Amino acid sequence: LISLIALCLVSFIGVPHGSFDGAVASLLGYQSKKQFLIFIFLYICVSIGVIIFWINFPIVALILFIIMSVVHFGLCDWEFLNIKEYKWVITLTHGMNIIFGIIYFHTEEVFNIFLFLSNKNIYLFQNYLNLPYLIYGILIAIYIFLSFKNKKMVWGLMEMILILVIVSQLDPLTGFAIYFCFVHTVKHVRAILINTNKYLKNKKFVFKSTAFFTILTWIGGCITIIYLNDNFSFSESFIKTIFIGLAALTLPHMTLVDFFYRKKFN
């Protein structure tokens, strides 16, 4: 029940943060109706492409999704700390902290979730987890060393420790939901609202486009769960919909935010 509640939090708080991508597109120049329709078309095409790729290559898609999540979450934390230097040390340390922190404390439960998203062969990767743990260990050591030079990184270090404590005490879905909804989403939405208030004259468009994408995502999710429920349990259908849906939205969202938006506004 707690895990299902956590997934609901991801659905109703976490996922809609990507709905601000309409506002982000406007900040990048997609402001006319024609330009915005082109943006929506491209966004949907990329999302559908991710879903098709996941259906045909689930293990590869899952691994790529994990890597994308590490980079995307980490870049958001780097931007929030407002540190121009040490970009990739901060990005990879913060990103790996949440993703591999959850995997480390709840390996068996996490791989059971991965099984829903891929197939039995995913268990083979448990034998290679020492490699990302080693990389994270090296990164955190560098991070601690650099924090003596930049005091802002001390706050980042404290945040990562707090996140590890939280995820270690909760089941993996709940720990992820708390981070995704109340850390990542809050940081992302705050940054977007600051820039939209500063650079966009049409404030109503921000909320209209966000509401449109949010409702569209919820409707699509509900239809998918109903469709999958014919062949899978409700829990498995819910997990597949949330995480494959997240992957489908993460690629266009990450491309827009991390490769275009951050270049212009960081």
Side-chain angles (χ1 to χ4, degrees):
L1 178 60
I2 293 175
S3 295
L4 288 175
I5 292 172
L7 288 175
C8 287
L9 284 174
V10 172
S11 303
F12 292 103
I13 298 178
V15 170
H17 92 272
S19 299
F20 279 89
D21 283 357
V24 175
S26 295
L27 285 168
L28 294 173
Y30 290 86
Q31 295 188 4
S32 69
K33 288 184 179 179
K34 181 180 179 181
Q35 289 174 323
F36 196 69
L37 286 173
I38 291 173
F39 164 74
I40 293 174
F41 175 75
L42 292 174
Y43 201 98
I44 292 173
C45 284
V46 174
S47 296
I48 292 173
V50 171
I51 294 171
I52 293 171
F53 183 82
W54 197 302
I55 291 170
N56 289 282
F57 308 99
I59 292 181
V60 177
L62 178 58
I63 293 170
L64 290 175
F65 178 48
I66 291 171
I67 294 171
M68 285 193 303
S69 298
V70 166
V71 173
H72 181 61
F73 291 156
L75 282 172
C76 182
D77 290 339
W78 167 74
E79 178 190 28
F80 185 79
L81 286 172
N82 195 26
I83 300 173
K84 298 301 180 184
E85 49 194 354
Y86 318 132
K87 176 180 178 179
W88 288 109
V89 170
I90 294 171
T91 295
L92 295 177
T93 308
H94 278 260
M96 293 187 75
N97 185 73
I98 177 61
I99 299 298
F100 287 97
I102 291 175
I103 293 174
Y104 176 79
F105 287 112
H106 309 283
T107 306
E108 185 176 347
E109 293 169 270
V110 168
F111 272 83
N112 285 336
I113 295 170
F114 286 169
L115 179 60
F116 287 163
L117 301 174
S118 55
N119 58 47
K120 293 180 180 179
N121 292 333
I122 196 66
Y123 285 110
L124 294 174
F125 288 90
Q126 280 187 260
N127 300 323
Y128 301 97
L129 284 175
N130 285 336
L131 178 59
Y133 294 156
L134 176 61
I135 294 172
Y136 172 74
I138 294 170
L139 285 170
I140 200 69
I142 297 171
Y143 195 105
I144 292 170
F145 174 76
L146 293 175
S147 68
F148 289 105
K149 298 181 180 181
N150 193 314
K151 299 303 179 184
K152 288 182 181 179
M153 293 179 69
V154 175
W155 292 105
L157 190 61
M158 291 172 63
E159 179 184 290
M160 286 191 287
I161 292 171
L162 180 60
I163 287 170
L164 288 179
V165 171
I166 291 172
V167 300
S168 69
Q169 300 302 309
L170 300 171
D171 68 89
L173 290 176
T174 305
F176 174 76
I178 289 175
Y179 170 81
F180 189 60
C181 298
F182 303 111
V183 179
H184 176 68
T185 294
V186 169
K187 289 178 180 178
H188 176 76
V189 171
R190 176 182 176 275
I192 298 300
L193 288 178
I194 288 172
N195 285 320
T196 52
N197 285 330
K198 189 174 181 180
Y199 297 107
L200 287 184
K201 294 181 179 179
N202 189 355
K203 302 297 189 293
K204 290 183 179 179
F205 172 79
V206 175
F207 295 101
K208 285 182 179 178
S209 63
T210 301
F212 169 77
F213 282 118
T214 299
I215 293 169
L216 187 67
T217 303
W218 286 344
I219 291 172
C222 290
I223 292 172
T224 304
I225 290 171
I226 293 169
Y227 173 76
L228 291 175
N229 206 39
D230 290 336
N231 299 306
F232 305 99
S233 67
F234 176 76
S235 296
E236 188 171 353
S237 300
F238 206 169
I239 289 172
K240 283 179 179 290
T241 300
I242 293 296
F243 284 100
I244 296 177
L246 272 179
L249 296 173
T250 294
L251 182 57
H253 172 69
M254 183 178 174
T255 303
L256 182 71
V257 173
D258 296 334
F259 293 99
F260 294 100
Y261 169 78
R262 294 196 200 284
K263 283 185 179 180
K264 185 174 181 179
F265 292 99
N266 277 340

